[in-house]
Amino acid sequence: MRNPMDISGRKILVTGAAGGIGSAACRYLASLGATVIAADRDASVERIRDDIRSSGGKAESVVFNVADRNSVQEAAAAVQRSFGALDGIFANAGMSYERPALDHSEADWRTVMSVNLDGVFWTVQAFGRSMLEAGKGAIVMTASIAGVKAVRPELHVGYDVSKAGVAHMCRVLAAEWAKSGVRVNAVGPGYTDTVMLAEVGRTQPAVMKQWLDDTPVGRLIKPEEIASAAAFLLSDAASGVTGHLLMVDGGYSIA
Ligand SMILES: NC(=O)c1ccc[n+]([C@@H]2O[C@H](COP(=O)([O-])OP(=O)(O)OC[C@H]3O[C@@H](n4cnc5c(N)ncnc54)[C@H](O)[C@@H]3O)[C@@H](O)[C@H]2O)c1
């Protein structure tokens, strides 16, 4: 009997693959034998592909902007021509920023919504189509603690609302696509040890202290811990799970 955690041979798209969580997810999924299609708007994603290949894993890369629906659709068509239907999507690309609510310009609001919310929808719509036609597959989106709780002390209302939108998109699509054999779930990272947060630790130690004090496990989450949660949701071990937001936050959202 196949181990339900076994994702070897599965073709999985990862967006935001040049970043901290996305690159960890690509490496983790490839280490389990999946063929990873590493996607980002940043062409440095090709380095992630090459690293995986040089460690014996299977990876391809594709460059597109999730906020540009035409660019997403063209990439999805090219990936389908090369690989056929995908088995999994980790729609993880996202951006953050800091700004009080009253200082948000229309451009600030539209930019974060177009990447974090529209971008996830365009990705799962374009790349999910072949999975729906095939009647199988799993989708995981990246939400955030900021989508379920008012985080402190940083201010980014647009980011928070975009991530709450991702969590609800996951529930609604899970219900719409349940009978088609495609599951849709989300991961909710807490403060995760990526380059961006390392910078905060160096320049704003009081902010880092507050984050750690508010996180029951008292440490940052490792990108690999988000990756393994996503791998579970992408695997058949989660065959009964759809429409679920799995918080990977060291207890932040329950404290
Ligand atoms: N790091 C954290 O503490 C944390 C916490 C909660 C949620 N998240 C979420 O996790 C996800 C990954 O974040 P990360 O920490 O790895 O950040 P990161 O900045 O290291 O990676 C984000 C990646 O997304 C890519 N990207 C951004 N806009 C894009 C676009 N329009 N089209 C294609 N690619 C685009 C970037 O180029 C980058 O490689 C994001 O959705 C983020 O909001 C992160």
Side-chain angles (χ1 to χ4, degrees):
M1 184 187 126
R2 186 181 168 112
N3 176 345
M5 297 288 287
D6 181 3
I7 55 165
S8 57
R10 302 267 166 100
K11 295 168 281 185
I12 301 174
L13 175 86
V14 177
T15 68
I21 292 172
S23 61
C26 289
R27 292 194 172 94
Y28 188 82
L29 296 169
S31 76
L32 298 177
T35 297
V36 169
I37 299 143
D40 206 287
R41 71 174 167 196
D42 183 339
S44 73
V45 72
E46 290 167 6
R47 282 210 298 275
I48 308 298
R49 173 202 65 197
D50 294 344
D51 285 355
I52 291 171
R53 285 181 179 171
S54 54
S55 350
K58 294 196 184 76
E60 296 294 336
S61 62
V62 55
V63 175
F64 63 90
N65 175 3
V66 296
D68 176 348
R69 190 170 184 231
N70 288 336
S71 152
V72 180
Q73 288 179 333
E74 280 167 22
V79 166
Q80 181 157 18
R81 278 194 299 278
S82 302
F83 297 97
L86 295 176
D87 300 294
I89 300 171
F90 183 27
N92 164 74
M95 58 162 287
S96 190
Y97 65 95
E98 276 193 62
R99 210 147 304 153
L102 295 184
D103 295 341
H104 273 61
S105 67
E106 186 175 355
D108 294 332
W109 186 265
R110 275 311 322 149
T111 301
V112 72
M113 292 300 164
S114 70
V115 174
N116 289 5
L117 188 58
D118 306 0
V120 170
F121 186 63
W122 303 144
T123 300
V124 301
Q125 185 190 50
F127 287 89
R129 191 176 295 276
S130 64
M131 288 170 32
L132 287 161
E133 285 164 5
K136 64 184 173 63
I139 293 171
V140 177
M141 304 167 171
T142 302
S144 171
I145 47 173
V148 296
K149 198 170 168 179
V151 296
R152 300 177 309 158
E154 67 277 23
L155 299 171
H156 41 39
V157 61
Y159 178 84
D160 306 338
V161 171
S162 72
K163 290 298 185 179
V166 168
H168 199 56
M169 189 195 312
C170 150
R171 295 181 196 106
V172 172
L173 291 181
E176 182 175 330
W177 292 346
K179 292 276 190 333
S180 72
V182 176
R183 294 181 299 103
V184 187
N185 290 291
V187 286
Y191 293 107
T192 305
D193 194 3
T194 58
V195 174
M196 200 192 304
L197 267 65
E199 180 65 16
V200 173
R202 269 194 303 279
T203 58
Q204 303 176 70
V207 171
M208 180 60 76
K209 181 175 180 321
Q210 182 166 4
W211 288 349
L212 297 181
D213 287 348
D214 288 347
T215 302
V217 297
R219 64 169 177 82
L220 297 178
I221 304 304
K222 300 185 190 105
E224 294 74 20
E225 293 175 306
I226 313 295
S228 56
F232 161 69
L233 292 170
L234 288 164
S235 79
D236 294 347
S239 56
V241 184
T242 198
H244 184 68
L245 168 58
L246 177 55
M247 299 310 293
V248 191
D249 65 355
Y252 183 94
S253 55
I254 48 106

